[in-house]
Amino acid sequence: MERYVHRVNYYETDKMGITHHSNYIRFMEEARVFFLDQIGWGYAKMEEDGIASPVLAVTCDYRHSTTFSDVIEVEVSVLKLSAVKLQIGYTMSCRGQVVCKGTSTHCFLDREGRPLVLQKALPDFYSALAALIPPSA
């Protein structure tokens, strides 16, 4: 699976010249959109099918700072998948060093905002995600 690449913009840095911590959450979202597009289930497709996928929780573990113009590679992985929730992991690296690790947890809703059982509502999407969970998970 191809990694998502983000070059830190000047406006994403703070007065100290480092990438502001809040931007790593944005990088995770950018990488998630890229990842879902890669597996053929992008947000546009889900929305066409009447599916919303709100964020339930986010974690971010900052390891090293980055600065303007640094290139951050984001590796996305499926950590957990249940009938109603998906947890995605993110490992962000710069110059071969892990700079941030994070997770996001999502559910799936229909057009009326009711929870969906993904395996029943979109079995092909569920199978595509399930196939990406490492055997040890």
Side-chain angles (χ1 to χ4, degrees):
M1 183 87 36
E2 196 174 329
R3 290 181 178 199
Y4 176 74
V5 176
H6 180 90
R7 183 177 297 274
V8 177
N9 295 294
Y10 185 76
Y11 69 84
E12 294 171 324
T13 62
D14 59 19
K15 189 174 181 178
M16 295 179 288
I18 61 173
T19 307
H20 191 270
H21 66 277
S22 65
N23 288 301
Y24 291 89
I25 305 294
R26 289 184 180 149
F27 304 159
M28 289 165 50
E29 181 173 355
E30 292 170 9
R32 182 172 62 254
V33 168
F34 177 78
F35 167 77
L36 291 173
D37 280 341
Q38 278 193 305
I39 66 168
W41 289 92
Y43 277 98
K45 180 175 176 50
M46 279 196 290
E47 289 175 1
E48 283 174 18
D49 291 339
I51 309 296
S53 181
V55 175
L56 299 175
V58 175
T59 66
C60 229
D61 179 20
Y62 305 101
R63 307 255 174 114
H64 297 280
S65 60
T66 58
T67 59
F68 169 63
S69 198
D70 278 347
V71 174
I72 299 172
E73 292 185 9
V74 185
E75 182 179 348
V76 178
S77 58
V78 177
L79 299 178
K80 295 179 186 173
L81 180 63
S82 72
V84 294
K85 288 184 186 176
L86 166 67
Q87 185 179 56
I88 297 177
Y90 309 86
T91 301
M92 297 172 233
S93 301
C94 182
R95 294 180 298 279
Q97 181 178 48
V98 174
V99 296
C100 186
K101 290 188 76 126
T103 65
S104 62
T105 304
H106 307 263
C107 68
F108 297 91
L109 306 175
D110 66 15
R111 292 186 199 279
E112 287 74 42
R114 292 185 302 253
L116 285 175
V117 176
L118 191 60
Q119 192 171 12
K120 290 180 183 177
L122 293 171
D124 293 340
F125 182 31
Y126 182 90
S127 295
L129 293 168
L132 296 172
I133 298 173
S136 61

